[in-house]
Amino acid sequence: MKILVTGGVGYIGSHTVVELQKSGHEVVIVDNLSNSKIEVLNQIHQISGIKPECEIFNLDDRAKTFEFFKNHTDIQGIIHFAAFKAVGESVANPLKYYRNNLISLMNILEAMKEFGVPNLVFSSSCTVYGQPDELPVNEQAPIQKAMSPYGNTKQISEEIISDTILNGGIKAIALRYFNPIGAHESALIGELPLGVPNNLMPFITQTAIGIRAQLSVFGNDYNTPDGTAIRDYIHVVDLAKAHVIAVERMLHKKSKKDFEIFNLGTGNGFSVLEVINSFEKTCKAKLNYKIVGRRAGDVEQVYADTKFANDELGWKAIKSLDEMTLSAWNWEKALAKKIK
Ligand code: WQD
């Protein structure tokens, strides 16, 4: 089937394109290259043997979005990644996030109705849960007030999809990611943070390779075993595979509701220090870090109840934390070789 992957040149998008191609789907990408590089298409080509078609424009441009769908009338499903996702930047520039993330989604939904595209997989986030009252957190947990405009765009997007679905004609699945890290085993694709990384894993690997002087660990006074905050880290390839299963669930008309929501995590929580220990052990690299104060907006601990996705999608994350940290390190080393 022909699948549109918006943001398909990005980190999770590119890994999902590879998995879609491996499953025999034809992929077309729309990306605005705001957080990725067009060379990724060549890497995807090297991995899968197929270079996906790709059009470069902003999905918050309604006319260009409709023009695209007019020229691609055989799209059976959309996996919508294209959005800004830096929590800190969203606090500094909320309107940039509301405009891009919400208008892009609304253009996609309007185009789906106009051109009869039936299936949507939406990239959502565990940030919608805030600091859950109960752990592990399941999909029925209350949505808490978003801690950032970024998280709010994910909450509002889920509501927009839910309300749009009511008029019929479209089926959707929202996938709430926990913390995606790691890279493809080929080390040809991975996380390409432009500028100083916000996220833990790229900051660790950039410190180890010498791009950053030292990692700051944001707080060790949390109510956790070692005092550092806990997250549910999931390998990006496990995450990518779940997207293929989700879009095929709708293509094969196996959805049980018009709008389904699944947590995509491993169900295991690891602390910052445990991630650092895993990195040092698997990569045989000593990491230079220091403990500093907490980062505003961080939750203390969050990890997924994965039962619904395991049972309903028949999907389970299988890669270990050590495989995640090792793959991230291999990717960082491959990047360094390219730059030389
Ligand atoms: C992880 C832990 C930090 C950097 C991210 C995305 C969010 C969502 C979930 C997709 C925290 C600590 C970090 C550093 C540190 N993903 N840390 N030093 O905040 O859980 O959220 O994943 O939707 O969009 O932002 O991930 O990697 O920033 O932080 O100590 O330099 O690492 O305090 O405990 P986070 P993160």
Side-chain angles (χ1 to χ4, degrees):
M1 292 288 193
K2 190 166 187 178
I3 309 292
L4 163 61
V5 179
T6 73
V9 184
Y11 174 40
I12 304 171
S14 57
H15 286 82
T16 301
V17 167
V18 164
E19 295 305 323
L20 283 166
Q21 292 177 324
K22 271 170 63 178
S23 298
H25 297 286
E26 184 189 351
V27 174
V28 57
I29 294 172
V30 167
D31 203 302
N32 68 0
L33 300 183
S34 62
N35 193 24
S36 49
K37 292 182 178 160
I38 197 70
E39 292 76 19
V40 168
L41 293 182
N42 299 327
Q43 271 75 335
I44 291 173
H45 188 186
Q46 250 187 279
I47 294 170
S48 67
I50 308 159
K51 186 171 185 178
E53 183 190 349
C54 180
E55 294 206 11
I56 310 295
F57 65 89
N58 280 324
L59 285 159
D60 65 359
D61 181 326
R62 191 174 187 278
K64 285 190 178 162
T65 302
F66 272 56
E67 184 63 24
F68 171 83
F69 280 93
K70 215 176 289 168
N71 300 330
H72 294 81
T73 53
D74 51 353
I75 289 171
Q76 287 302 308
I78 301 174
I79 303 181
H80 181 46
F81 291 104
F84 295 145
K85 62 138 190 148
V87 172
E89 184 192 36
S90 78
V91 175
N93 194 343
L95 288 177
K96 175 183 175 186
Y97 274 67
Y98 286 115
R99 166 175 293 286
N100 181 61
N101 293 8
L102 299 182
I103 292 178
S104 299
L105 172 67
M106 287 188 275
N107 286 342
I108 288 276
L109 288 168
E110 283 186 338
M112 288 178 76
K113 288 185 148 325
E114 178 73 17
F115 296 95
V117 178
N119 305 304
L120 172 70
V121 175
F122 174 67
S123 164
S124 190
S125 166
C126 67
T127 44
V128 303
Y129 298 119
Q131 177 57 68
D133 301 326
E134 277 180 52
L135 286 170
V137 62
N138 66 40
E139 291 84 352
Q140 285 68 47
I143 301 303
Q144 307 216 23
K145 179 163 174 28
M147 315 268 275
S148 68
Y150 159 77
N152 206 22
T153 66
K154 290 302 181 183
Q155 288 183 12
I156 298 168
S157 293
E158 287 190 6
E159 288 168 14
I160 290 172
I161 294 169
S162 176
D163 291 345
T164 307
I165 295 280
L166 290 178
N167 310 338
I170 294 177
K171 288 203 184 320
I173 290 178
L175 300 175
R176 290 176 178 166
Y177 308 159
F178 282 71
N179 286 58
I181 63 171
H184 190 266
E185 61 192 6
S186 64
L188 288 168
I189 53 176
E191 192 167 4
L192 257 180
L194 307 181
V196 179
N198 293 298
N199 296 129
L200 177 65
M201 198 68 241
F203 211 110
I204 287 177
T205 57
Q206 287 193 8
T207 301
I209 202 108
I211 295 171
R212 309 286 159 207
Q214 183 179 56
L215 168 76
S216 296
V217 173
F218 297 138
N220 69 345
D221 58 350
Y222 286 103
N223 183 21
T224 60
D226 65 18
T228 61
I230 289 173
R231 296 288 185 276
D232 185 332
Y233 298 95
I234 176 170
H235 197 292
V236 65
V237 172
D238 279 334
L239 194 71
K241 291 181 191 294
H243 287 75
V244 180
I245 294 171
V247 75
E248 288 179 348
R249 179 179 174 87
M250 291 185 284
L251 291 172
H252 303 146
K253 307 211 184 311
K254 289 190 178 151
S255 301
K256 292 185 177 159
K257 288 195 306 183
D258 286 350
F259 185 28
E260 295 179 306
I261 296 176
F262 295 96
N263 282 345
L264 292 189
T266 66
N268 305 314
F270 287 109
S271 72
V272 177
L273 289 180
E274 285 173 314
V275 175
I276 292 171
N277 293 340
S278 164
F279 177 79
E280 290 183 330
K281 179 182 65 173
T282 48
C283 308
K284 301 181 182 58
K286 200 82 193 92
L287 192 74
N288 179 8
Y289 68 90
K290 67 178 175 190
I291 307 288
V292 299
R294 294 182 178 189
R295 178 174 67 176
D298 273 346
V299 296
E300 177 170 273
Q301 53 183 310
V302 59
Y303 49 92
D305 177 335
T306 61
K307 187 170 174 357
F308 188 49
N310 298 156
D311 294 350
E312 274 305 312
L313 297 180
W315 165 87
K316 188 168 174 46
I318 54 172
K319 290 180 183 290
S320 67
L321 181 63
D322 289 353
E323 287 172 289
M324 297 179 214
T325 55
L326 182 59
S327 66
W329 181 230
N330 289 338
W331 162 244
E332 190 67 62
K333 289 189 290 185
L335 272 182
K337 276 204 198 95
K338 266 197 258 188
I339 294 164
K340 278 201 179 85

